[in-house]
Amino acid sequence: MWNNKKIPLVSMTVMALAIGSTYVSALETQVGETTVGLYGYARLNMAYNFDRDAGSANEGYFAEVAGSEDEGDVGDQFQISATQSRIGFRTSTPVEGSTLDTVIEGDFWSYNDDNTRFRLRHAYGSWNGILAGQTWSNYNTFVAATPTLDFFSTAGSYGGYGTRLAQLRYTIGGFSIAAEDPKAQLAENIDGSLPEDASLPDNDDAVSSMPALSLRYEDSMGDFSYSIAGIARQLKYDTGSEKDTEMGYGAFAAGAYHAGPVTLRAIVNASEGANSYLYLSGDYFNGADAYVDTNGKLQTLSGDGGALGLSYQISPQYSLNASHGYTDVELGDPTVGGNAGRKNKNTFLNLMWTPNERLMYGIEYGYFETELADGREEDASRVMVAAQYSF
């Protein structure tokens, strides 16, 4: 028999359902010593783009805002989607004096909402502080994440990679260390002085011979919560005839202060050769880490970012949220293109109505601004409406 339960979150990794939530509603049943839970939600997102295309019904993209120089502004667009809907399955079993937890979760989301299919989000187990599988990067935090309807949310707000990676992690208290799937992105080289048909190594030639290593400490003191983290990862390319290796590093610090009905959040990020872990610093996702110069040497790119947010709980059912974030990845060389030399900013203001823990309705205004390596600046604005029904 399935029962409705409110389950306290025992670790950040279970925050797959809703950012900032302390409890997750679920259907539960008992099978021997194992507690089995089924959870998820059905969600509808609708968006209206005012002056030009700004993404899909689920989220905004800086790539769509930028468009191209010879592309006219195409606004007055309505979009609608239910592909953010998700479902998850989890178990909890006492094993050898500790608890074995497992989670399998997926949704139907895709970039630009153009490839609807079941997508794996989480697949991991944890026991006695040891986590193995795919879940949120250890170089990531929700401490400074102000709630938005936009699925991607505020630039720079998640601190790190901002999505889920295969990893092996050990946690003790508020401290965690992980070896993760390394993510690297080499910028395109657009040097017109190269001989015809010649090219420099690009992202297709990126390889790794070691995992990314991350450290994070997350805790709270009264009404103040905080998170600090660092990551080191290898940058490498190998074409078979040429290769080079560098190291990339990143760090962030985030905090949130709760004062009655008001919550203030802030985060700062810094990167040298680790912009793949600088949230929303690129066109569709994160920025470039390095490029290969004409001598075949890897040159790392620096980046920084940050976000501010405020939430006001008007009543138990209504909340008002405002956030602003930015990222900035250096160009490095005028012959470099792709996700280098890009500055992204976005701002959100929303009102959420939650008449019950299983119901959420909201309306949101979003503003996006991007500056490309050639100095071209573009912006776009949109309104989003969402309805979510959880189980």
Side-chain angles (χ1 to χ4, degrees):
M1 179 179 178
W2 294 93
N3 300 306
N4 292 332
K5 295 281 188 178
K6 283 176 91 177
I7 310 300
L9 297 183
V10 295
S11 70
M12 186 203 74
T13 58
V14 190
M15 295 182 71
L17 287 181
I19 295 170
S21 175
T22 306
Y23 294 90
V24 174
S25 297
L27 299 172
E28 277 195 354
T29 191
Q30 197 74 22
V31 181
E33 293 186 332
T34 299
T35 301
V36 180
L38 181 69
Y39 64 88
Y41 58 70
R43 176 160 173 146
L44 179 71
N45 291 324
M46 297 184 292
Y48 176 79
N49 300 311
F50 290 103
D51 35 17
R52 68 182 304 148
D53 187 7
S56 75
N58 297 322
E59 67 276 319
Y61 298 119
F62 289 106
E64 301 296 330
V65 174
S68 62
E69 285 187 285
D70 56 357
E71 181 182 67
D73 293 347
V74 180
D76 192 25
Q77 295 183 42
F78 172 76
Q79 299 161 315
I80 187 168
S81 175
T83 56
Q84 190 184 325
S85 301
R86 71 181 60 160
I87 187 169
F89 174 85
R90 66 185 175 212
T91 69
S92 182
T93 309
V95 174
E96 298 294 328
S98 187
T99 301
L100 170 63
D101 295 312
T102 64
V103 174
I104 302 288
E105 179 191 300
D107 63 11
F108 304 90
W109 178 93
S110 63
Y111 279 107
N112 263 330
D113 206 27
D114 58 5
N115 184 26
T116 302
R117 82 281 190 240
F118 185 76
R119 177 183 71 131
L120 181 68
R121 287 172 51 85
H122 296 269
Y124 69 88
S126 63
W127 176 80
N128 209 28
I130 304 170
L131 181 149
Q134 176 174 303
T135 189
W136 297 109
S137 169
N138 187 51
Y139 186 67
N140 188 62
T141 185
F142 296 112
V143 167
T146 302
T148 63
L149 299 184
D150 187 283
F151 189 45
F152 273 12
S153 196
T154 314
S157 61
Y158 290 152
Y161 193 64
T163 189
R164 297 148 302 278
L165 299 172
Q167 63 190 271
L168 178 64
R169 183 193 304 182
Y170 180 69
T171 301
I172 180 168
F175 177 79
S176 56
I177 182 171
E180 305 185 2
D181 178 13
K183 295 298 180 180
Q185 184 178 167
L186 298 184
E188 301 170 11
N189 194 292
I190 54 175
D191 187 356
S193 67
L194 290 174
E196 187 176 357
D197 298 326
S199 63
L200 291 173
D202 58 21
N203 204 47
D204 292 336
D205 302 303
V207 296
S208 292
S209 54
M210 60 178 289
L213 301 176
S214 62
L215 298 171
R216 179 169 56 92
Y217 186 77
E218 196 160 304
D219 205 350
S220 61
M221 298 181 295
D223 293 326
F224 179 68
S225 303
Y226 63 94
S227 180
I228 54 175
I231 193 165
R233 42 73 61 79
Q234 182 190 62
L235 293 166
K236 182 178 181 181
Y237 83 88
D238 191 341
T239 65
S241 59
E242 292 183 82
K243 61 182 178 180
D244 193 26
T245 302
E246 287 287 347
M247 291 297 293
Y249 305 92
F252 71 75
Y257 181 71
H258 308 277
V262 176
T263 301
L264 300 173
R265 303 177 182 88
I267 185 170
V268 292
N269 311 268
S271 165
E272 181 61 52
N275 299 315
S276 287
Y277 297 84
L278 181 57
Y279 188 62
L280 296 186
S281 56
D283 49 10
Y284 284 97
F285 200 49
N286 296 348
D289 303 300
Y291 69 97
V292 182
D293 66 19
T294 54
N295 296 315
K297 297 296 184 181
L298 275 169
Q299 303 293 336
T300 59
L301 296 169
S302 62
D304 59 84
L308 294 171
L310 181 148
S311 295
Y312 179 64
Q313 196 69 40
I314 302 171
S315 73
Q317 295 184 344
Y318 290 92
S319 62
L320 185 67
N321 303 283
S323 59
H324 174 77
Y326 87 95
T327 57
D328 186 351
V329 176
E330 73 163 333
L331 180 59
D333 189 283
T335 66
V336 175
N339 276 324
R342 191 177 196 117
K343 299 178 181 179
N344 292 334
K345 300 177 184 178
N346 58 10
T347 303
F348 298 101
L349 177 64
N350 67 61
L351 177 67
M352 295 184 181
W353 175 42
T354 53
N356 181 276
E357 64 177 9
R358 296 182 180 275
L359 304 172
M360 187 281 292
Y361 302 93
I363 183 169
E364 177 174 272
Y365 172 78
Y367 176 76
F368 299 79
E369 182 179 346
T370 188
E371 180 181 339
L372 306 183
D374 60 6
R376 183 165 61 92
E377 299 181 16
E378 301 290 352
D379 63 353
S381 57
R382 65 194 332 227
V383 167
M384 185 174 178
V385 175
Q388 181 172 304
Y389 302 93
S390 302
F391 59 89

